[in-house]
């Protein structure tokens, strides 16, 4: 990936990409997810921080927490193409463990009160 992508955007991308593989969505929503993941891949490859951030926001808006009708019997796991690109991007960004996912989701910040 391009060095132009800073740690903050790397962590945001990792967080959403780790989540994508766990989503269950209606088939038509997966088409939009595939488009957004493709845009994110291009943005990361070119170092376009603004496009990466926009794609991350798009993915967050498509998440199974936000998409309507979630939990329907017709919901499907990530299609192989989406899953494969997401895994490739996770590895390209240097993330490959659950610890990386937890850090990305939590922003690597200490949330304790002590």
């Amino acid at each position: 990936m391009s060095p132009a992508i800073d740690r903050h955007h790397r962590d945001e991308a990792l967080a959403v990409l780790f989540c994508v593989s766990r989503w269950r969505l209606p088939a038509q929503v997966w088409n939009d997810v595939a488009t957004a993941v493709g845009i994110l891949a291009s943005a990361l490859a070119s170092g376009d921080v603004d496009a990466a951030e926009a794609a991350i926001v798009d993915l967050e808006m498509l998440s199974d927490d936000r998409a309507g009708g979630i939990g329907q019997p017709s919901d499907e796991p990530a299609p192989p193409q989406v899953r494969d690109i997401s895994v490739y991007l996770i590895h390209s960004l240097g993330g490959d463990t659950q610890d990386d996912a937890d850090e990305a989701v939590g922003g690597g910040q200490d949330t304790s009160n002590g």
Side-chain angles (χ1 to χ4, degrees), residues 35-113:
T35 298
V37 168
I39 292 168
L40 178 59
S42 296
L44 293 172
S46 67
D48 186 340
V49 175
D50 292 336
E53 190 168 325
I56 291 165
V57 169
D58 287 347
L59 286 166
E60 289 170 345
M61 295 304 292
L62 292 165
S63 76
D64 62 355
D65 291 333
R66 294 180 180 256
I70 298 306
Q72 300 300 314
S74 61
D75 288 353
E76 302 173 1
Q81 176 189 5
V82 171
R83 189 176 54 247
D84 292 347
I85 294 170
S86 296
V87 168
Y88 170 79
L89 290 174
I90 289 167
H91 288 288
S92 296
L93 289 167
D96 56 10
T97 67
Q98 187 59 44
D99 289 341
D100 291 331
D102 293 341
E103 181 177 330
V105 171
Q109 299 173 359
D110 180 5
T111 56
S112 65
N113 290 332

